[in-house]
Amino acid sequence: MALVAAGCSRDASSPARDGAGARTPIVTISADQAVSPVPPWRVPAVQVTDENVAELKEKASQALSRGRLFGGAEDAIPLYYALRRFDPEDATANAGFDRSLKRLIASGDEALAALDRDPLSLRRAHEIAAVARAVAPGNVDIVEYLARLDRADEAQEANRLGEEALNAGRLGVGGEAGHALTHFRQALELRPGDMRANQGIAAVESALIRRAELAADRDDYVTAERELDIAAKVRPDAPSVEDARGRMAMQRIVRVNALRDAGMAALMRQGGIDEARRHLAVMLRIAPAGDPATRELRERIDLATHYGLFRPGQVFTDAMQGGGRGPQMVVIPHGAFRMGSEENEGQESERPARNIRFERGLAMSRTEITVGEFRRFMQATKHRARASRRGYSTAYDERSGNLVRRGNVDWQSDYVGQPARDDMPVLHVSAKDALAYAEWLSAQTGERYRLPSEAEFEYALRAGNRGRYPWGEGPPPLRIGNFTGGADVSPSGRRWRNAFPGYGDGAWGPAPVGTYQPNAWGLHDMVGNVSEWVADCWHDSFRRAPRGGEAWLNPGCRSRVVRGGSWTSAPEEMRSAWRQGSDANNTTARIGFRVVRDI
């Protein structure tokens, strides 16, 4: 008898026998399997006769040992398949066929395992599946292999859909259907460890990081942080997101510092405050809370707004065209205070008290202008001081203890009419002499020097103190100024009739400038030593006074304001709010002046 096995396969619903000839369970292949990318496999024709059975068994065994399973009629599976068809009870043929199927399935699994490194291996797995379907469609091992192949196909399709969604920008971090991450995670569920899916998930993470980077490039660090927070959920154990955070944090620092530097440079240019504020606005939007560079630029803008290129408390001098430098100036802070005295204090001319605010700081000379400083002005100009022109001034008379008119006394004289040292405050100068000195300083330095307004003087005198006196309440602390004190004694033994009890400053008459302690803003002798001319015309009250800190002037006014008690003033005249009017041409041993400079 002879049998030719060719181009046939057992129907999936037909009984089948395993290698030992026993019946195997019938398994139905689902109809929704993926369509195979290879055509159905047809078993090559093999003629089996009683005479060639042994020869064919030997050929089949050798083919199997060499791994030749199904390429042609001389390979193991076609041979064993024909032998089993010839004699279904042939134990040798059944065992060989069973071994061939196991080798076939192993080859298919090897092809599936190679899928990550060789995409063509999937076709090889399908070719093996086609053989398996043709020769043993109901075999349990074959069915399980086909299921594994189906899952690989589904994973590949999920990967393909994921890549399409990724390219379209549909990342789907929230688990949305039809989005990249959803497809890639589905692929991993179907095929754990799938390299293509893992690469797709990494690509989703990279896309989110790239979105964050683009947002950071637009200075939108809020969005950048949000994108990174989303990206961190894609691969929680991967370092990529934290690395990106580090890069963007450094980018942010560099960007913020660059804005600060640009803002600082703008402040060095005339009118650059607005540009600096624009840089600061960007910094406030992008910098983290508490950023030191942002705080630094904000403070510098605030300083520039209120002080130009200076800082509160800074001491400086200006160079003069004629050589040398001008008087030492102290930058006093901007701010607000209440000017004048309340109803229970002082005199009517000091009221009504009012609030005044200075939006910009100014510089004020640390001390009264000295004889030496005034001498330079007199030598450099043709100015004729008031006392020099009329030949006299008011000086102190030790014998009578009074201020009296004395001839040949002028700005070069001390309080008794003797030649004055250069470090003494200049006396015997009129308000017009003081204004002329300030105008000369302005011309020499190119900056605006002037007499302080009355408001500026009281603001600087108080230096933030709201008390009755510049130091607060009660008697003055020791060595803070040249006042009338109960412990003071004149050269002839005189004492003050109205003085601070127990206070002594070691001087009778003006002392050299800077002898006593400065106030809280670094200014010496704002009260005591000598009273000082200010720019305002005298008015007998503050009614209708300007609401700002500017001088209150009237054209052609003949009386000016004097502020700050002198070495001979009663304690009542040492109050912060004390003020007095004096003829602008008056010269005396009690009055000097200091200057301010706009900044």
Side-chain angles (χ1 to χ4, degrees):
M1 153 178 146
L3 174 66
V4 177
C8 61
S9 62
R10 187 181 304 274
D11 184 86
S13 60
S14 304
R17 297 179 183 274
D18 60 16
R23 291 184 178 274
T24 58
I26 296 176
V27 179
T28 302
I29 308 255
S30 64
D32 61 351
Q33 288 176 338
V35 177
S36 173
V38 298
W41 187 75
R42 302 186 67 81
V43 183
V46 177
Q47 185 176 6
V48 183
T49 64
D50 291 334
E51 291 76 14
N52 68 358
V53 165
E55 178 185 357
L56 292 179
K57 287 181 180 180
E58 179 61 24
K59 285 183 178 182
S61 177
Q62 291 181 5
L64 180 60
S65 65
R66 293 171 182 168
R68 297 193 343 261
L69 297 178
F70 59 85
E74 299 292 315
D75 293 324
I77 288 177
L79 290 171
Y80 281 125
Y81 181 83
L83 289 168
R84 291 179 73 237
R85 299 271 295 177
F86 180 75
D87 182 3
E89 303 300 328
D90 187 325
T92 300
N94 282 325
F97 185 71
D98 186 59
R99 291 196 302 275
S100 298
L101 288 182
K102 290 183 181 300
R103 182 72 65 84
L104 181 70
I105 293 170
S107 297
D109 286 334
E110 288 174 1
L112 291 177
L115 183 59
D116 289 333
R117 59 181 181 274
D118 180 11
L120 296 178
S121 64
L122 183 61
R123 183 177 182 83
R124 173 69 174 169
H126 275 284
E127 290 173 350
I128 290 169
V131 174
R133 288 191 185 94
V135 298
N139 182 279
V140 173
D141 292 337
I142 294 296
V143 170
E144 290 175 353
Y145 167 72
L146 293 176
R148 291 194 293 277
L149 178 59
D150 285 344
R151 287 195 296 274
D153 283 338
E154 291 174 15
Q156 289 296 93
E157 178 63 10
N159 283 329
R160 185 188 68 78
L161 294 173
E163 287 160 359
E164 286 184 357
L166 178 64
N167 291 333
R170 301 192 309 275
L171 304 184
V173 178
E176 300 91 339
H179 286 65
L181 190 60
T182 303
H183 288 305
F184 291 133
R185 284 177 171 164
Q186 180 185 8
L188 282 178
E189 289 177 3
L190 291 165
R191 187 170 177 270
D194 186 287
M195 182 180 296
R196 185 177 174 188
N198 280 324
Q199 289 174 340
I201 290 174
V204 170
E205 179 191 67
S206 295
L208 288 166
I209 291 174
R210 182 56 183 157
R211 287 183 181 180
E213 290 171 341
L214 291 173
D217 291 342
R218 299 190 305 271
D219 289 335
D220 185 359
Y221 288 95
V222 173
T223 299
E225 286 290 343
R226 184 169 62 247
E227 295 288 359
L228 288 180
D229 289 342
I230 296 171
K233 299 175 182 177
V234 176
R235 295 194 305 164
D237 297 330
S240 310
V241 173
E242 290 309 310
D243 290 345
R245 284 191 201 276
R247 291 194 307 274
M248 268 175 268
M250 181 57 65
Q251 176 184 343
R252 194 177 192 179
I253 290 171
V254 170
R255 173 68 169 139
V256 168
N257 288 345
L259 287 166
R260 177 207 51 200
D261 294 344
M264 293 291 195
L267 290 175
M268 299 301 292
R269 299 190 292 271
Q270 186 72 24
I273 290 180
D274 288 341
E275 180 183 347
R277 285 175 175 152
R278 288 193 292 272
H279 291 308
L280 178 62
V282 178
M283 293 174 72
L284 290 170
R285 179 168 56 81
I286 71 175
D291 175 67
T294 304
R295 184 171 60 252
E296 181 183 4
L297 181 58
R298 192 206 312 263
E299 291 173 354
R300 193 64 191 85
I301 289 174
D302 185 64
L303 288 173
T305 301
H306 300 297
Y307 307 103
L309 300 179
F310 299 94
R311 291 178 178 273
Q314 181 177 345
V315 178
F316 69 93
T317 60
D318 286 320
M320 297 197 295
Q321 292 178 3
R325 307 192 72 83
Q328 283 194 335
M329 309 297 291
V330 180
V331 178
I332 63 175
H334 77 289
F337 82 115
R338 188 161 178 80
M339 182 179 179
S341 61
E342 304 296 345
E343 293 299 325
N344 60 348
E345 177 200 334
Q347 50 197 353
E348 189 62 30
S349 65
E350 300 163 6
R351 290 190 284 272
R354 67 196 195 281
N355 296 323
I356 293 181
R357 181 169 189 83
F358 296 98
E359 295 296 340
R360 190 170 177 85
L362 71 152
M364 181 173 282
S365 53
R366 292 180 66 190
T367 67
E368 301 104 339
I369 297 302
T370 66
V371 172
E373 289 166 338
F374 199 78
R375 188 188 309 281
R376 293 185 61 192
F377 155 64
M378 293 297 290
Q379 291 174 346
T381 68
K382 296 180 180 180
H383 179 76
R384 294 189 64 202
R386 176 67 176 173
S388 301
R389 282 189 283 117
R390 69 186 178 187
Y392 67 87
S393 184
T394 302
Y396 177 72
D397 178 50
E398 177 66 25
R399 286 181 299 177
S400 65
N402 296 318
L403 290 170
V404 300
R405 179 183 294 186
R406 181 163 292 168
N408 298 318
V409 173
D410 63 9
W411 64 270
Q412 302 174 87
S413 306
D414 66 9
Y415 79 110
V416 295
Q418 296 298 311
R421 290 166 39 181
D422 277 358
D423 62 352
M424 296 295 290
V426 66
L427 307 172
H428 311 292
V429 288
S430 69
K432 294 179 180 179
D433 295 332
L435 287 169
Y437 174 83
E439 291 172 359
W440 172 75
L441 267 183
S442 298
Q444 282 287 305
T445 62
E447 304 294 344
R448 184 177 179 236
Y449 281 84
R450 54 184 174 81
L451 294 184
S453 71
E454 187 176 4
E456 289 168 342
F457 191 96
E458 184 175 334
Y459 177 64
L461 178 148
R462 291 183 180 277
N465 192 313
R466 183 56 197 157
R468 178 181 180 88
Y469 299 104
W471 55 85
E473 303 296 333
L478 293 177
R479 302 296 298 172
I480 69 163
N482 182 5
F483 312 136
T484 52
D488 292 337
V489 182
S490 77
S492 65
R494 290 183 179 278
R495 291 183 182 273
W496 301 112
R497 288 193 299 270
N498 185 8
F500 290 108
Y503 184 80
D505 50 48
W508 188 277
V513 299
T515 298
Y516 304 98
Q517 298 175 14
N519 70 6
W521 291 348
L523 300 166
H524 294 267
D525 300 319
M526 290 296 295
V527 65
N529 216 33
V530 296
S531 298
E532 301 178 27
W533 293 112
V534 295
D536 300 60
C537 295
W538 172 256
H539 298 84
D540 58 10
S541 78
F542 289 139
R543 292 181 180 85
R544 298 185 303 278
R547 303 305 299 175
E550 68 273 17
W552 188 4
L553 298 172
N554 302 109
C557 70
R558 301 186 62 178
S559 292
R560 298 282 177 156
V561 177
V562 174
R563 295 298 300 249
S566 74
W567 59 275
T568 186
S569 296
E572 177 70 10
E573 296 171 349
M574 298 296 178
R575 292 180 302 103
S576 298
W578 178 81
R579 60 194 295 263
Q580 186 179 56
S582 179
D583 189 290
N585 290 318
N586 188 25
T587 65
T588 174
R590 298 178 54 177
I591 303 176
F593 72 98
R594 73 181 69 216
V595 293
V596 298
R597 173 197 186 282
D598 292 340
I599 57 174

